[in-house]
Amino acid sequence: SYELTQPLSVSVALGQTARIPCGGNNIESKNVHWYQQKPGQAPVLVIYRDTNRPSGIPERFSGSNSGNTAILTISRAQAGDEADYYCHVWDSSTAVFGGGTKLTVL
Amino acid sequence: EVQLLESGGGLVQPGGSLRLSCAASGFTFSTYAMNWVRQTPGKGLEWVSAISGGGIYTDYADSVKGRFTISRDNSKNTLYLQMNSLRAEDTAVYYCAKDLDAAGPDWGFDPWGQGTLVTVSS
């Protein structure tokens, strides 16, 4: 079965750029979606199909996908960006999620 | 505004059954595939099942195949998850989630409901 690998945690200084990787075998051949989940809340889609932002998501959120790694980039990080972030792909009619990365804004 | 509201969670004994519901509003329910995703307390997300807009096509995670059944009633704008032979490891918050786009799968899930907690314990 397909697996997605994310670091448990990423830290970023306030106002700086955070990059959250999601690793998978030849992941560039798949569409990668990203979700933000704050404590006690449901996940929210922040990037779909590698690079696209749903309406209402700030331009500070962007995505890329190449080789074996997809990356969620959060520019000018704010305290409100502290959350868990999950990547997601479809593989053989099965949705697969990464284990999640906790983003800490210092 | 698109809204999804889950219900039906609760405490059930191992081997028991439970049916979850997800009431949808704010969009043409029958044109969108729907999904169930669960999250063990303090842990990550696990996709459970998906169903096409018309209800014809369904998919399941291996961990629930043969025990869970997804269905929908488009006349009531409601998604269901029938859970049988429940195990302790099925304990989780269960979310329903809409496909972002009606064009087909693989557009991401948006939005998600608020979730309903299922606890399997004796």
Side-chain angles (χ1 to χ4, degrees), chain A:
Chain A
S1 60
Y2 195 81
E3 293 185 357
L4 294 174
T5 302
Q6 295 183 243
L8 286 176
S9 63
V10 167
S11 298
V12 62
L14 186 69
Q16 297 304 301
T17 297
R19 294 177 179 84
I20 300 174
C22 173
N25 183 37
N26 194 31
I27 197 173
E28 69 177 358
S29 67
K30 301 183 182 299
N31 292 312
V32 180
H33 318 294
W34 291 92
Y35 304 88
Q36 175 193 70
Q37 186 179 33
K38 296 181 179 179
Q41 298 183 18
V44 173
L45 181 69
V46 294
I47 293 290
Y48 65 96
R49 292 205 160 195
D50 299 340
T51 62
N52 299 281
R53 280 179 292 104
S55 60
I57 301 301
E59 292 183 5
R60 300 185 299 103
F61 288 80
S62 62
S64 64
N65 187 7
S66 179
N68 294 317
T69 305
I71 298 175
L72 173 68
T73 300
I74 306 171
S75 304
R76 302 181 299 282
Q78 302 177 358
D81 297 332
E82 277 208 348
D84 293 327
Y85 291 85
Y86 296 89
C87 56
H88 157 217
V89 302
W90 281 92
D91 178 73
S92 302
S93 299
T94 298
V96 180
F97 288 94
T101 297
K102 181 176 180 57
L103 177 68
T104 300
V105 180
L106 304 172

Side-chain angles (χ1 to χ4, degrees), chain B residues 46-74:
Chain B
E46 180 189 15
W47 173 79
V48 172
S49 184
I51 187 168
S52 59
I56 301 300
Y57 302 105
T58 59
D59 288 301
Y60 298 91
D62 287 343
S63 58
V64 306
K65 202 170 292 184
R67 300 187 299 124
F68 290 12
T69 301
I70 191 172
S71 63
R72 63 193 297 161
D73 186 337
N74 288 342

Side-chain angles (χ1 to χ4, degrees), chain B residues 4-60:
Chain B
L4 301 171
L5 184 62
E6 301 95 335
S7 61
L11 175 64
V12 61
Q13 292 187 342
S17 297
L18 211 56
R19 188 177 83 155
L20 306 183
S21 299
C22 170
S25 61
F27 65 103
T28 306
F29 182 66
S30 61
T31 63
Y32 288 86
M34 297 292 295
N35 303 268
W36 288 100
V37 179
R38 67 186 181 184
Q39 184 170 35
T40 305
K43 297 288 181 62
L45 302 171
E46 180 189 15
W47 173 79
V48 172
S49 184
I51 187 168
S52 59
I56 301 300
Y57 302 105
T58 59
D59 288 301
Y60 298 91

